[in-house]
Amino acid sequence: MNITKADNLACPIDGNRLEQTENQYVCENGHTFDIARQGYVNLLPVQHKRSKQPGDSKAMVLARTRFLDTGIYQAIAIKLAETVSSIIIDDDDGCFLDAGCGEGYYFDFLFNSLKDREDAGKLSFIGLDISKDAVLQASKRNRQISWVVGTNRQLPVEDESVDIIQCLFGFLSVEGFNKALKPGGTIILVDPGPDHLKELREIIYPEVSKTKQSALAQMELADFSPEGTERLQFKTTVTNSEQINHLLMMTPHFYRASKEGREAVGKLDELDITVDVIFRVFKKI
Ligand SMILES: C[S@@+](CC[C@H](N)C(=O)[O-])C[C@H]1O[C@@H](n2cnc3c(N)ncnc32)[C@H](O)[C@@H]1O
């Protein structure tokens, strides 16, 4: 594969194509966006923010990095890479976008699994998240990916310029994804299945409900055809209290749990967990 830098980033203010200079992106109306020392660009203007520091906090980002770097979730990354590999057609050029990439673990893994393919196509990678702390952390993983602070609601890319959007445990914006995706393009949604981390939830909550599945209904209402669903399930053990704490912090349960629930998790030295993840592939009609 030939890896190229993304050339389809668009101005978040007027939608015009952005040209890259040495240390900035510029649109034809003169809006400029500095490239940070770490290599990422912030394309989230204040008017697109709903809070001062949107998205995951620095503490959540670091907890996620520490947990994911243990490799406990590597099977999810492998499954994602297999899914993408089966979609790419040899020698095609393509732009991948990870919408809500977090601290970049999955996108970096995907990049590394594709980069040595022998096909002649040109690939570009855009990792985007609304959290500046997440994007900053992601940019330390891989300098060849274009890391962007932005929102899934209004993806700062040219209309119909992306081939594959992946969204893992993230914020689905059917409208935003539809606008960015080429006709015939693919969306891969990866969401928790009904039993995901049920052991952790049993400790935190007095009553455990099955994780709700809402993304599917939203996608079917829009112009997407479902191309397949696969479920990845496995059991594993988190073997120390630090990792258990990192796992809790990287999930929404950290904020939803009561003080007692968090304390109960804090006392554990070992936790058996069920990982239950659903992969759904949709094609834009
Ligand atoms: C549960 S984390 C998942 C991160 C990553 N996909 C992973 O699986 O490791 C959800 C991510 O979505 C980001 N996020 C939340 N709202 C967003 C939005 N409107 N646009 C883009 N990212 C968003 C958060 O900052 C966070 O990094």
Side-chain angles (χ1 to χ4, degrees), residues 44 48 54-57 60-61 64 68 73 76 98-106 128-132 134-135 150-155 166-173 177 190 250-252:
L44 186 69
H48 291 183
D56 282 7
S57 67
M60 288 176 85
V61 168
R64 181 167 295 119
L68 292 175
Y73 275 8
I76 301 176
D98 188 346
C101 62
E103 53 69 73
Y105 171 80
Y106 293 105
L128 174 140
D129 200 282
I130 204 165
S131 158
K132 190 173 149 196
V135 173
T151 175
N152 289 357
R153 285 195 178 85
Q154 283 165 274
L155 292 168
Q166 63 177 51
C167 182
L168 288 96
F169 310 106
F171 171 78
L172 169 66
S173 167
F177 293 3
V190 181
M250 67 183 241
T251 70

Side-chain angles (χ1 to χ4, degrees), residues 79-118:
K79 178 87 191 152
L80 175 71
E82 284 169 4
T83 307
V84 172
S85 266
S86 68
I87 293 167
I88 305 176
I89 302 166
D90 297 355
D91 299 348
D92 270 6
D93 294 347
C95 174
F96 293 161
L97 192 150
D98 188 346
C101 62
E103 53 69 73
Y105 171 80
Y106 293 105
F107 212 33
D108 178 51
F109 190 96
L110 177 71
F111 177 97
N112 286 313
S113 72
L114 294 178
K115 74 175 185 343
D116 294 328
R117 272 175 59 139
E118 306 254 306

Side-chain angles (χ1 to χ4, degrees), residues 20-52:
Q20 186 175 353
T21 66
E22 199 184 322
N23 49 13
Q24 281 188 325
Y25 281 94
V26 188
C27 83
E28 64 180 34
N29 287 327
H31 299 121
T32 57
F33 304 90
D34 291 344
I35 299 171
R37 190 168 38 87
Q38 298 85 354
Y40 70 88
V41 61
N42 190 336
L43 298 180
L44 186 69
V46 272
Q47 57 268 40
H48 291 183
K49 287 189 184 184
R50 297 186 172 190
S51 64
K52 200 159 171 252

Side-chain angles (χ1 to χ4, degrees), residues 39-262:
Y40 70 88
V41 61
N42 190 336
L43 298 180
L44 186 69
V46 272
Q47 57 268 40
H48 291 183
K49 287 189 184 184
R50 297 186 172 190
S51 64
K52 200 159 171 252
Q53 284 181 312
D56 282 7
S57 67
K58 191 171 181 177
M60 288 176 85
V61 168
L62 286 179
R64 181 167 295 119
T65 294
R66 297 217 171 103
F67 183 82
L68 292 175
D69 280 348
T70 63
I72 292 174
Y73 275 8
Q74 198 188 60
I76 301 176
I78 292 172
K79 178 87 191 152
L80 175 71
E82 284 169 4
T83 307
V84 172
S85 266
S86 68
I87 293 167
I88 305 176
I89 302 166
D90 297 355
D91 299 348
D92 270 6
D93 294 347
C95 174
F96 293 161
L97 192 150
D98 188 346
C101 62
E103 53 69 73
Y105 171 80
Y106 293 105
F107 212 33
D108 178 51
F109 190 96
L110 177 71
F111 177 97
N112 286 313
S113 72
L114 294 178
K115 74 175 185 343
D116 294 328
R117 272 175 59 139
E118 306 254 306
D119 328 288
K122 276 194 281 177
L123 293 186
S124 64
F125 292 74
I126 302 172
L128 174 140
D129 200 282
I130 204 165
S131 158
K132 190 173 149 196
D133 287 312
V135 173
L136 176 58
Q137 185 74 8
S139 60
K140 294 179 191 162
R141 287 198 185 269
N142 190 323
R143 296 287 284 202
Q144 286 176 281
I145 292 175
S146 301
W147 300 107
V148 175
V149 182
T151 175
N152 289 357
R153 285 195 178 85
Q154 283 165 274
L155 292 168
V157 290
E158 291 184 294
D159 289 355
E160 303 198 336
S161 66
V162 177
D163 294 86
I164 300 180
I165 296 180
Q166 63 177 51
C167 182
L168 288 96
F169 310 106
F171 171 78
L172 169 66
S173 167
V174 177
E175 205 182 321
F177 293 3
N178 200 359
K179 197 160 175 275
L181 210 58
K182 288 180 189 168
T186 303
I187 295 184
I188 303 169
L189 297 180
V190 181
D191 291 301
D195 292 330
H196 190 55
L197 300 179
K198 63 179 181 192
E199 301 84 354
L200 185 70
R201 289 184 283 130
E202 277 160 10
I203 296 166
I204 298 173
Y205 304 115
E207 253 178 68
V208 175
S209 57
K210 297 257 181 194
T211 306
K212 289 198 184 71
Q213 307 293 314
S214 61
L216 190 60
Q218 283 188 56
M219 295 297 292
E220 280 179 349
L221 282 176
D223 279 341
F224 288 91
S225 67
E227 297 287 301
T229 298
E230 285 191 58
R231 192 166 173 183
L232 173 71
Q233 283 176 291
F234 62 93
K235 287 186 187 290
T236 185
T237 305
V238 187
T239 52
N240 70 60
S241 60
E242 211 185 10
Q243 284 174 10
I244 296 168
N245 193 39
H246 291 151
L247 174 63
L248 175 62
M249 275 192 81
M250 67 183 241
T251 70
H253 306 301
F254 183 69
Y255 290 106
R256 289 186 204 143
S258 63
K259 186 165 164 273
E260 294 72 31
R262 281 203 291 264

